[in-house]
């Protein structure tokens, strides 16, 4: 949960707020990108994570190239801002795994595990991190839903940000 929700929460202030649909679509893409390393190569043990190609610099680079390609081929579908936030989410996943048990960052070239010893985030904290991210997501999304509702009730012109000074694509 933390891999998906934390990047979406951190990205929320930078996501487009011109419409509810646009905001949630961008937040969903960032959340999906945060979970992507585990989705494309699931693992149930640290040993399996150490052997995972999806937790490497090569996967991070490939995902960045894929995002850039989508942006260049379909510029109306993906902004540079959202593409950059999705790439950041993927990288944040790798960083989170590195500090909570390590990753083989240069897999398959090198199997050397990179990460602090002892772990900065012990296994028994993972559930608390997930719970905190779920709670924070409910609060932030609830607040944004209220803002979108207020905007719709006031009949704000489409394309106007929810609040003055909002970062918009």
């Amino acid at each position: 949960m933390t891999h998906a929700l934390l990047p979406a929460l951190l990205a929320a202030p930078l996501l487009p707020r011109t419409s509810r649909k646009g905001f949630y679509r961008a937040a969903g893409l960032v959340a999906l990108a945060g979970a992507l390393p585990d989705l494309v190569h699931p693992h149930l043990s640290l040993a399996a994570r150490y052997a995972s190609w999806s937790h490497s610099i090569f996967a991070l680079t490939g995902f960045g190239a894929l995002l850039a390609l989508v942006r260049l081929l379909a510029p109306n579908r993906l902004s540079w801002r959202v593409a950059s936030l999705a790439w950041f989410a993927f990288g944040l996943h790798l960083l989170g795994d590195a500090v909570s048990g390590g990753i083989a960052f240069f897999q398959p070239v090198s199997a050397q595990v990179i990460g602090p010893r002892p772990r900065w985030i012990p296994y028994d904290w993972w559930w608390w991190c997930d719970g905190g991210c779920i709670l924070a997501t409910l609060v932030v999304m609830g607040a944004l839903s209220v803002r979108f509702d207020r905007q719709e009730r006031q009949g704000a012109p489409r394309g106007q940000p929810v609040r003055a000074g909002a970062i918009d694509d």
Side-chain angles (χ1 to χ4, degrees):
M1 296 304 291
T2 298
H3 287 314
L5 297 179
L6 183 60
L9 285 169
L10 294 176
L14 303 173
L15 295 174
R17 296 188 192 171
T18 54
S19 72
R20 185 185 308 254
K21 181 179 177 182
F23 175 83
Y24 288 120
R25 181 178 291 162
L29 177 65
V30 171
L32 180 63
L36 195 58
D38 287 344
L39 295 174
V40 298
H41 193 245
H43 53 272
L44 298 175
S45 68
L46 280 177
R49 186 195 317 165
Y50 298 155
S52 174
W53 59 268
S54 66
H55 287 69
S56 72
I57 185 68
F58 304 111
L60 180 63
T61 303
F63 184 60
L66 177 66
L67 288 167
L69 184 65
V70 168
R71 170 64 180 129
L72 293 172
L73 294 177
N76 295 333
R77 306 286 270 157
L78 182 66
S79 70
W80 282 116
R81 179 183 306 145
V82 174
S84 297
L85 291 168
W87 186 78
F88 168 77
F90 194 103
L92 189 62
H93 180 123
L94 300 185
L95 178 65
D97 279 357
V99 300
S100 63
I103 58 172
F105 197 57
F106 295 100
Q107 184 70 281
V109 175
S110 170
Q112 180 182 358
V113 175
I114 297 172
R117 296 287 185 251
R119 299 176 187 179
W120 288 353
I121 304 172
Y123 176 74
D124 55 340
W125 289 14
W126 292 2
W127 297 108
W128 292 106
C129 291
D130 286 348
C133 282
I134 291 169
L135 181 61
T137 300
L138 291 172
V139 170
V140 169
M141 296 306 162
L144 285 170
S145 183
V146 168
R147 286 180 181 255
F148 283 123
D149 289 343
R150 186 179 313 137
Q151 178 188 23
E152 290 167 4
R153 277 195 310 274
Q154 292 173 349
R158 219 162 168 67
Q160 294 296 314
V162 173
R163 63 178 171 83
I167 297 173
D168 193 18
D169 281 340

